[in-house]
Amino acid sequence: MRSVRALAAAALLLLPAYDVASAGEPKQGGILRVYHRDSPGSASIHEGATYSINVPFMPVFNNLVMFKQDVAQNSVESIVPDLAESWAWSSDNKKLTFKLRQGVKWHDGKPFTSADVKCTFDMLMGKSQQKFRQNPRKSWYDQVNEVTVNGDFEASFELKRPQPALLSLLASGYTPVYPCHVSPAEMRTKPVGTGPFKFVEFKANESIKLTKNPDYFKKGLPHLDGIEFTIIPNRSTAILGFVSGKFDMTFPTEVSIPLLKDVKAQAPNAVCVVEPVNVSTNIIVNSSSPPFDNIDIRRALALALDRKAFISILFEGQADIGGTMLPAPGGLWAMPKEMLESIPGYGPDINANREEARKLMQKAGYGPDKHLSVKVSTRNIPVYRDPAVILIDQMKNIYIDGELDVVDTAQWFPKVARKDYTLGLNLTGNAVDDPDQSFYENYSCGSERNYTNYCNKEIEKLFDQQSAETDKEKRKKLVWEIDKKLQEDVARPIIFHARQGSCWHPYVKGITIMVNSSYNGYRYEDVWMDK
Amino acid sequence: MFAYIVRRLALMLVTLIGISIIIFVLLRVVPGNIVDILFDAAGFVDPTDKANLEKELGLNLPIYQQYLNWIGGLLHGDLGYSYVSEKPALQEILPRIPITARLAALALLFSASIGIPLGVLSAVHQGSRLDYALRVVSLSGLSLPSFWLGLLILMASVSLFGSMPIYNPNPKTWTEALAIYAVPAMAVGFRSAALTMRITRSSMLEILRQDYIRTARAKGASEASVNYRHALKNAILPVITVIGIEAAFLIGGLIVTETVFNIPGVARFLVEALRWRDYPIVQNLVMLIAVVVVVANFTVDMLYAAIDPRIRYGD
């Protein structure tokens, strides 16, 4: 076994993203008041698939490791110990061993041991008797054979093959360690963790309250006495509440670009940032039935896109163009600009692209006198609906008449799963900026989230190859190659990667908004208030 | 009278049974259930997990069985469990009732205490500048959607006072306590007040032209006595009808107002429960609202007899 990383040293090399937020000696006390955008379905992070759960409940827990909270870009280099003191890969890179902290207690006073680690991951892998009601990230652990323990303070992940990305998956806000002695049902309503804040109450549609954990194992933390989330689904009311000082902070990455202008106008001292959220807006094409079983029509569709128009209309220019992986500088795995622009449809000359698209449409039997009529299905939510309307407008340029088909949220994924759509507009969020999470979930043959049923065995081999590659530079090149191929195959044309705003009052210190994921930065243990 | 009351009570029961069937069936006709929504967030549907969850929640049972289970529970005071919070539905609903009741009562009070006197004033001074001004106010009240008015109030308070009256479960001062209810009550009650004002005005105008009013004036009764003792007493009947109907319609306005002012009452809870297809919450809340509406109508009918001696039921 060889030690791979001296973590503390690496962490020192990383610069905090917002010096303004971390200046001065932290003051103790105060309740951080944040509005929450909606009422989460439960308090159990493992059973949820929305950051509406992570934001209020991540402070209740700890992971084995986590992304350093004051570094905006999540990467392997920014991973620091949490419940683990250290970790090491075996020489064949098939075993990842964690030495665990001793003396850590759950909020109910019971001791934390390696059994809790095993319990958590056995449940996530579907190997334990107790089951989660939902287990949306089971596939993250497909390469884990078994979690073993050696005494009370050592746990190991035995892998089927090397998978360097596992460490990043374990560092996500989506991967807290749960207590063995608390049932999944209780964790949905009264979560027990080891984290800097203890759960106090969750009143659906009203509020979520957390209080300081005085026995937190990280000495001197947290600085705050507590955090209160007031649930305000109405955006206008929420923003007015922030402006009037009722809240210290907006819900993270929830302020749209136009609203941000209002905030800055009414609260000029507020600190506001606009960052990528690693959520792509993309087109899902049902290639199993006409007319999009014809690759020419799919290619024409990809060529018709004017991505800059989407971005300027919806984000006043503040969003990014890229492939599957989040574009640079936020994203770690983005294709170089020249490579991206060499992909059909990504070139700067939109007219030339559309001319080529029209030729492909004519080849398929359509033209000025014979338009193709399709329904563009999407969820009845503005972030889905608005780009769908622009897409319909752009498709007119290549003889496609689109009709908007808005689908109730409850019906959206069942409809997509049934393949009961021709063309759809979808949003895909990535919890971790790592190709393993994105490629396997969205493009591998048979994956539940591979809505288009895209299946390319050659690419699948490349997925595995990059996943097992321990040399980061080599892996990056493989990822670029895969991403390029996915776009050329029109597997799921990516329109843009969104950016969103977050604001807080200047007295709130220690807030860092992550730039390549909106799921991992809410431990709030080092947040404090200068008042 | 007794026979009439018994007949009305029987009719109320039939109405409530009908409503329970309609709401139960309609909820299940709407596409998607809680399980679909839970999986929606996950971005995919796992058929095995879905089937397990449907079984756990009893959604796999035939619809008539689900209905009988619900009604059976209801008769025993068991409202079931919220699918979302996994807490007893009663525990979720009960604390929200006083919040909405306070808001609704204040809104109705505002509506009556503003609408009736202004309606009388407008009628008594028909054709005057005051009448025109009050008619503009009442038309505005009918035209302004309560959510828009609510937002305007919030924006104005932020810009004028630097604070806003959104809900706080533990108000620090009595003025704050009053503001968190009174301001939304005004927002939602403005429309009702406008309607009450118009109905009062037209009803008063009709009464003021009656012979007995002329007689009252001829025998030397003061204007105040004519307007309030003789005219208003007889003009109030349609106003009470309108207030009764408004009480039933208020729930619609409260949904929006509770959302805008972020008040965790029954109305907003109902919308959220509908969004999540939280059947036990929606069914029981709709039944509660139905009971309130039916009882309000019944009370208004009884009030008729108390106010107007000419009305006799069951004769």
Side-chain angles (χ1 to χ4, degrees), chain A residues 364-385:
Chain A
Y366 298 96
D369 303 324
K370 192 189 172 196
H371 285 208
L372 168 63
S373 295
V374 293
K375 276 193 173 175
V376 178
S377 304
T378 198
R379 282 169 80 171
N380 197 8
I381 304 176
V383 287
Y384 283 70
R385 218 170 41 218

Side-chain angles (χ1 to χ4, degrees), chain A residues 262-425:
Chain A
D262 284 354
V263 174
K264 287 303 283 179
Q266 294 178 68
N269 291 331
V271 179
C272 292
V273 295
V274 177
E275 299 295 1
V277 286
N278 206 348
V279 174
S280 73
T281 297
N282 50 71
I283 304 171
I284 49 173
V285 183
N286 189 346
S287 55
S288 54
S289 60
F292 289 104
D293 55 345
N294 183 338
I295 181 71
D296 284 337
I297 298 182
R298 295 207 298 273
R299 286 196 174 132
L301 179 68
L303 283 163
L305 296 175
D306 179 357
R307 293 177 171 84
K308 278 190 178 157
F310 279 92
I311 291 171
S312 66
I313 294 167
L314 298 170
F315 297 90
E316 299 180 10
Q318 296 190 65
D320 304 293
I321 296 174
T324 297
M325 300 309 297
L326 181 72
L332 297 166
W333 305 90
M335 279 180 270
K337 190 167 179 258
E338 312 75 57
M339 192 173 185
L340 184 71
E341 288 188 351
S342 70
I343 299 169
Y346 280 89
D349 190 344
I350 303 295
N351 288 333
N353 290 342
R354 286 186 175 162
E355 192 49 48
E356 197 184 332
R358 282 190 281 270
K359 281 181 191 153
L360 287 168
M361 288 299 287
Q362 279 164 349
K363 189 179 153 198
Y366 298 96
D369 303 324
K370 192 189 172 196
H371 285 208
L372 168 63
S373 295
V374 293
K375 276 193 173 175
V376 178
S377 304
T378 198
R379 282 169 80 171
N380 197 8
I381 304 176
V383 287
Y384 283 70
R385 218 170 41 218
D386 297 349
V389 171
I390 301 172
L391 174 67
I392 287 170
D393 181 60
Q394 294 196 358
M395 290 193 314
K396 283 181 191 158
N397 292 297
I398 58 160
Y399 318 127
I400 300 179
D401 294 334
E403 182 193 341
L404 188 64
D405 172 30
V406 285
V407 181
D408 185 57
T409 280
Q411 278 305 294
W412 174 240
F413 284 110
K415 184 182 171 86
V416 168
R418 287 197 306 273
K419 298 283 173 288
D420 179 18
Y421 70 96
T422 308
L423 197 66
L425 188 130

Side-chain angles (χ1 to χ4, degrees), chain A residues 44-45 92 134 152 189 199 240 271 275 280 327 376 433 483-484 520:
Chain A
S44 180
I45 292 178
D92 62 355
Q134 273 183 289
D152 276 352
T189 51
F199 172 82
L240 281 171
V271 179
E275 299 295 1
S280 73
V376 178
D433 186 17
D483 203 350
K484 185 169 189 274
N520 307 329

